[in-house]
Every structure is written in structure tokens, then in C-alpha cells.
DNA sequence: ATAATTGATAATTATGAGGTATCAAATAGA
DNA sequence: TCTATTTGATACCTCATAATTATCAATTAT
């Protein structure tokens, strides 16, 4: 117990816990393998806890090691956030907020929200990143973003959800398509058309919902293309590669030879939700959620 | 920026922030004042943030310094808690223990054991699962449970066994059966009765032992039903579907129209054993086995 | 059998934390 | 005004120890 534990020990520990390989971890840390071994040993001695099982040619985390990896990781993320925030404070900025969003949220909602937030909190630095649903959850858990905008039903525990905008779906057709708002009866009129849809990887639950729409209409769609980007969908529709179904709000802001038919009769709706990690201690996050609360 | 920040820097920072006096802080930290000054300077340079205003003969925290003091303080508290918890986990004082057991062990033994263990280790979370002998071995090998309670002679290598309770068998008869404790002579009196027994799949070696009892008595039983549950056996016996033989301890805790005759004369005994995987490193397991050691 | 992999150990080096001495600036007291 | 005192910063030095190199021991792959 004569050595003080330092960050170094935990930095090294995390690297070994990550790679489960002393030599590789040493390379990543730009130190030699024996040096790394010694520091890990020191940490283990100081804590009085065995962190790794070294057998044969395999390194394994012990139960306690596993626990420490998780906890130290989030603790370090928090510390990092504290330091970043301190730097921003120093620059006269009151904090920052890292947003992730699916493309379809940028349509109208995020600009509106940010404008409102900037009004009350002018010195907040906002970072925006377009990421898909699944990766947003990942980023939230790792505290790489503070808040996400997703279209997905289920989220892991530890993630808070607040629905903020529910909307209908709309059919997307080429402008010259024979079906229009007046002669449109039901989706089954499109059973022989090719469909261009958001990829299942975009969000499983979103995809399921779309499939349910087809189920309810009594046919399986021919899916000719899938993408993760509204604008590519529209390009394809415009050029007669097929038709599509998208959240209604996505119809604004494009000037293409396509038309939309809102599907108000079907029961399915899609909900844009904001999500955040309840372990996140960023003070700006609290304020942002406060703003959201007064939306509906 | 060529120095890495270490805990030291924050420890020193907190001491100065607390005392607002470099010399006093240095005394508290058992280092010299110039050494302290230098570390604080390093921290400030590394963060790119001024933490203290040194004017006249007074030291004052800057806004950012104030923020950091609060945040680092709570962050360090959290880290401390993490480390303490890790130590508890390591000592098996906190954590969880997953038990598997055959129904007949729940009769008296497991409640007693758990009560005793809970007394010395109140913070351990215990998961209980009723599983048959064979599946317990499987679960131990896969480390899906930490400890098992079985009635089975042979176990694979890698599994440790400790017998904890040896007992006689008892006949189970309907209350109105003509044989009772006084006119009972030997098992051969039942050669024409139907028997209801634990299924062979429950445990092969247990089944073999029962068969041996019949062998010794010179007859093969007529087996009319087999089940894996003491309570169903008793229901069947109560309704005159046949008679049975069970471990004696199973007679407690039922209120049915049945009676028991303990077979003390025959040599066969059944032994409840605890079993665990010797590769299992769950520290709680060690402590549990320790408790067991003082049982007999 | 030989070579490759991988973590631990031993001996050595060199970085930088901490020590001593001292300074500079400011203040208090005469 | 002239000390004496307080207090953080600087300069220089020492030594503890982190990191390196070289090597080993054990295992596994060829």
C-alpha cells in the first residue's frame, strides 16, 4: 500500500480490460509490456483485488474486474465531461450539449427546438451529429452524446424516453403517377408496385410498424431498394424506381417531381422521441429537458 | 500539455481549494510548498484554465475553480464508493449467489442454511432456482448457477462435491392402508402393490438406489406412475393409486391423508450434496462453502 | 522438435516529483 | 522610512520510481 493510486493505473487497467492482451494494450498506450504489467500489479495490490485471471495464454477479467471496468469507465466519462465543461466555462460558454438525431428529425423539429433553447440559453455550445437509432442508443450509453432523437419503440433500461411528436405516414409517389389524392382508395392499389423503404437497420421497431401497414392492407410489398436517407428515397421515387412510405413531416423542404398522399385512415403513427441517459450529469441536459417539457 | 494529468493534481487542487493557502495545504499533504505550487501550475496549464487568483497575500478560487472543486469532489466520492464496492465484491461481502436445488432440498435444509448465511452476509443477493440433478450439473459447468443441491452419486471432473445430509428412506402409504408401523415387517409385504416413484430422469443414481432396495427385498416393483415432484407423489398415494418410497425428510410440511414408515433396517441411505464448479471465481461462493464447512 | 506467443521478472535508465534555498512582492508595525 | 513577516514563485538539485531492455518460463502452434 505504499504507492498512491493514480489515473495512470486506471487508464492502463481499462486498456487491458478492453483488449484482454497485455502486449496489445501496451502498444496502444505507447509503453512497454513489462511496464504495463507492473502498473496493473500495483493496482491489484493496492486495491487488494485480483482484476485479471492470467491463465495459459488468455487474460480474463474477474467478476470484480468486470465491475470495475464498467464503473471506472462511466466515472472517467463523467470526469471528462466535468473537465470539458470547466474549459467551456473558462471560455465564457456555459456548457455544451451534444445532440444525436435521425435525419427525419432535422426536418422541422430540431431547428425549432434549438432556436427556442438558444433563446433562453444563448451561451450554450451545441454539437449536432446525424446518427441512426441504434447508434444513438449506443452513444447515449457511452455518454458520447447527451441527447438523442429517435424513432424506435424500445430502449434499454437507464435510458429515459419522452415522445415529442406523433405523426401520420404518407405515401410518396412520382408526380405523374396515375394515383392521386382523389382516386386513392387504399394501399392495396399498390400491391404490384415496387417499394423503396428505410432499411431495417435504421430501426427495427420502425420497420415492423411499416410492415404492419402492409399486413393490414393485405399484401406483402415488393421491396426493391432500402436506404437510410429520405433524400435518396425521394430521388429514387422521382426517377420511377418505385414508391415509398415515410413519416409525413418529411414532405417539407424538397423541390422534386414527387407527390405525397397522407395516410390518415390507417391506424399507424410514428413518434419521434427524445432520449437521454439518466446517469448523465451534464447540467445543460437538465435545462434542455426542462424546455422540452413545455412543448405539449 | 506534455504532462498527463494524474489524481495527484486533483488531490492537491482540492487541498488548496479547501484551505485557500498553499503552505497550509502543503503541510496537510505532507509535501513542500514549492512542490505543491508546481503541481497546481501543471494542472492549470494542462486544463488551460486558471483555477486560483493569487493576489496580495490572498488566494481565491476562480469561477471555474469553484465549479471544479464541487464537481471533482463528488466525482472523487463516487470513485471512492466504486473502489469500496469493488473490495466488498472481492471479499464476497456483497454480490450475488445463484443456487440450484432439487425440490427435496427445500424441505428444511436450504431454508436453514440460507438463514445462517444471511446472518453473516446480509448484503448478498440470493437467486434460487428449482432444477433437477442433471440440469444442475449442466448449469454449474456453464456457470449459470454457483452452487447446486443434488441427490446424485457421480459428477463430472471439475465439479466439487460435499455431502451435507444423509438420511433414511421412508415408505409412503395411504392413511387407511392395512400396514402400519407395528405390523410392518419387510418391504416384501408390498410386492403386489403399485409403486409411484421419482422418475429415472430425476437422477439415475438415485433411481438405481431405489431399485437396489427392491432387489434386496427380493422383488421387482410394479411401477404405475413416475413423477419428479414429492407433492404429486403424495396426491397419488392419498388417492390410492399406489405407495411410494421417498427420502425421510420429505415427510414434513404436508397435511394429507398419508402416513410414513421409516425404513431404518435397510442399508440404503440417500445423501443430499452440495456441488460447485471449482473454476467458479465468484468470491461469494468461497464464503458460502466456508459456512457449510461448520455444519458437521 | 522447433518456432511463436505471451505474461512475469531482473537489471538498468531517465524522467519528473519533491526537497532546499531563495526571491519578490506585499503588508504590518516601529 | 525601515525592518520583519507573510506568502507564493523560481532555480537548482536529489532521488524515487515509471519505463525500458533483455530474458525467462510456460504454453501452443507448426
Amino acid at each position: 500500500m505504499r504507492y498512491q493510486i493514480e489515473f495512470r493505473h486506471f487508464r492502463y487497467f481499462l486498456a487491458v480490460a478492453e483488449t484482454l492482451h497485455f502486449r496489445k494494450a501496451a502498444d496502444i498506450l505507447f509503453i512497454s509490456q513489462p511496464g504495463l504489467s507492473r502498473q496493473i500489479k500495483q493496482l491489484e495490490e493496492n486495491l487488494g483485488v485480483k482484476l485479471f485471471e492470467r491463465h495459459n495464454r488468455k487474460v480474463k477479467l474477474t467478476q470484480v474486474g468486470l465491475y470495475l471496468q464498467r464503473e471506472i469507465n462511466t466515472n472517467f466519462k463523467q470526469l471528462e465531461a466535468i473537465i470539458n465543461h470547466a474549459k467551456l466555462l473558462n471560455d465564457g460558454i456555459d456548457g455544451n450539449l451534444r445532440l444525436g438525431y435521425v435525419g427525419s428529425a432535422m426536418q422541422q423539429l430540431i431547428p425549432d427546438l434549438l432556436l427556442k433553447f438558444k433563446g433562453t440559453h444563448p451561451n450554450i455550445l451545441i454539437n449536432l451529429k446525424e446518427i441512426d437509432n441504434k447508434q444513438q442508443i449506443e452513444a447515449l450509453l457511452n455518454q458520447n452524446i447527451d441527447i438523442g432523437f429517435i424513432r424506435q419503440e424500445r430502449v434499454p433500461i437507464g435510458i429515459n424516453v419522452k415522445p415529442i411528436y406523433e405523426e401520420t405516414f404518407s405515401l410518396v409517389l412520382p408526380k405523374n403517377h396515375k394515383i392521386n389524392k382523389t382516386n386513392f382508395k387504399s394501399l392495396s392499389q399498390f400491391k404490384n408496385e415496387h417499394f423503396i423503404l428505410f432499411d431495417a437497420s435504421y430501426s427495427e421497431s420502425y420497420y415492423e410498424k411499416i410492415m404492419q401497414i402492409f399486413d393490414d392492407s393485405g399484401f406483402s410489398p415488393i421491396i426493391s431498394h432500402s436506404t437510410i436517407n429520405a433524400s435518396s428515397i425521394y430521388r429514387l421515387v422521382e426517377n420511377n424506381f418505385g414508391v415509398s412510405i415515410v413519416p409525413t413531416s418529411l414532405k417539407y423542404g424538397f423541390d422534386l417531381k414527387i407527390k405525397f398522399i397522407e395516410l390518415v385512415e390507417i391506424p399507424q403513427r410514428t413518434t419521434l422521441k427524445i432520449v437521454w441517459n439518466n446517469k448523465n450529469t451534464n447540467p445543460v441536459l437538465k435545462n434542455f429537458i426542462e424546455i422540452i417539457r413545455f412543448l405539449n
Side-chain angles (χ1 to χ4, degrees), chain A:
Chain A
M1 282 279 196
R2 60 188 179 287
Y3 305 105
Q4 276 278 9
I5 294 196
E6 291 292 350
F7 276 132
R8 181 173 7 97
H9 295 101
F10 288 117
R11 277 201 311 275
Y12 293 0
F13 163 69
L14 289 179
V16 179
E18 186 72 27
T19 57
L20 294 178
H21 198 292
F22 277 73
R23 222 159 270 243
K24 282 179 197 159
D27 282 352
I28 290 168
L29 295 165
F30 291 105
I31 60 170
S32 68
Q33 172 266 315
L36 178 57
S37 281
R38 195 153 69 104
Q39 294 298 310
I40 297 292
K41 197 178 163 193
Q42 269 184 27
L43 179 62
E44 288 184 321
E45 277 171 5
N46 200 310
L47 297 179
V49 164
K50 213 171 128 215
L51 299 171
F52 296 102
E53 287 167 33
R54 297 94 153 153
H55 22 92
N56 308 346
R57 18 177 45 174
K58 206 181 281 175
V59 175
K60 228 187 109 203
L61 276 164
T62 61
Q63 296 211 353
V64 185
L66 213 67
Y67 165 80
L68 260 193
Q69 183 191 26
R70 274 202 315 274
E71 294 300 316
I72 296 290
N73 238 320
T74 64
N75 186 267
F76 271 28
K77 284 263 161 59
Q78 284 174 13
L79 188 63
E80 208 177 300
I82 290 169
I83 290 172
N84 275 331
H85 193 230
K87 285 177 182 168
L88 291 171
L89 273 180
N90 194 59
D91 298 340
I93 294 167
D94 296 332
N96 78 327
L97 193 69
R98 299 158 304 169
L99 297 185
Y101 63 94
V102 291
S104 62
M106 195 42 118
Q107 221 41 44
Q108 192 55 34
L109 201 103
I110 293 191
D112 278 1
L113 266 180
L114 293 191
L115 221 61
K116 183 172 281 184
F117 188 63
K118 281 234 160 202
T120 50
H121 298 76
N123 290 322
I124 302 292
L125 182 71
I126 292 174
N127 307 104
L128 287 165
K129 247 184 268 183
E130 181 168 344
I131 334 176
D132 73 38
N133 291 285
K134 225 179 259 175
Q135 287 182 320
Q136 278 189 57
I137 299 294
E138 194 65 29
L140 283 172
L141 290 171
N142 296 335
Q143 302 204 19
N144 288 330
I145 61 175
D146 297 305
I147 210 153
F149 289 76
I150 64 171
R151 291 182 194 276
Q152 177 172 310
E153 303 299 318
R154 290 172 293 276
V155 296
I157 48 166
I159 301 292
N160 289 356
V161 183
K162 189 175 162 53
I164 45 171
Y165 187 59
E166 190 185 86
E167 57 183 315
T168 55
F169 289 93
S170 285
L171 262 169
V172 191
L173 306 175
K175 195 145 236 160
N176 58 7
H177 196 280
K178 60 177 184 271
I179 305 281
N180 55 39
K181 271 172 201 168
T182 38
N183 63 14
F184 171 76
K185 294 273 148 50
S186 98
L187 256 187
S188 57
Q189 293 170 286
F190 294 87
K191 74 168 77 172
N192 295 319
E193 298 266 2
H194 286 196
F195 275 85
I196 300 147
L197 296 174
F198 282 109
D199 197 83
S201 74
Y202 171 77
S203 157
E204 269 155 46
S205 50
Y206 177 86
Y207 193 78
E208 275 168 29
K209 197 169 271 176
I210 296 282
M211 286 304 123
Q212 195 147 57
I213 295 177
F214 291 116
D215 272 1
D216 291 354
S217 308
F219 72 101
S220 278
I222 307 162
I223 298 168
S224 61
H225 288 83
S226 67
T227 170
I228 54 158
N229 185 309
S231 136
S232 357
I233 290 181
Y234 295 165
R235 291 283 173 205
L236 291 167
V237 172
E238 184 176 40
N239 292 292
N240 288 297
F241 284 96
V243 300
S244 183
I245 295 181
V246 300
T248 299
S249 67
L250 290 194
K251 74 174 163 191
Y252 302 106
F254 292 93
D255 182 23
L256 297 166
K257 293 196 186 64
I258 54 174
K259 60 186 175 188
F260 294 84
I261 298 177
E262 186 174 356
L263 301 170
V264 284
E265 307 296 337
I266 65 168
Q268 283 82 9
R269 297 288 182 270
T270 174
T271 311
L272 189 68
K273 303 169 179 73
I274 66 165
V275 278
W276 67 95
N277 186 332
N278 61 22
K279 283 211 182 113
N280 190 322
T281 54
N282 183 347
V284 183
L285 177 59
K286 215 176 57 222
N287 296 333
F288 190 79
I289 292 164
E290 201 61 29
I291 292 277
I292 300 289
R293 178 165 302 159
F294 293 109
L295 277 183
N296 44 359

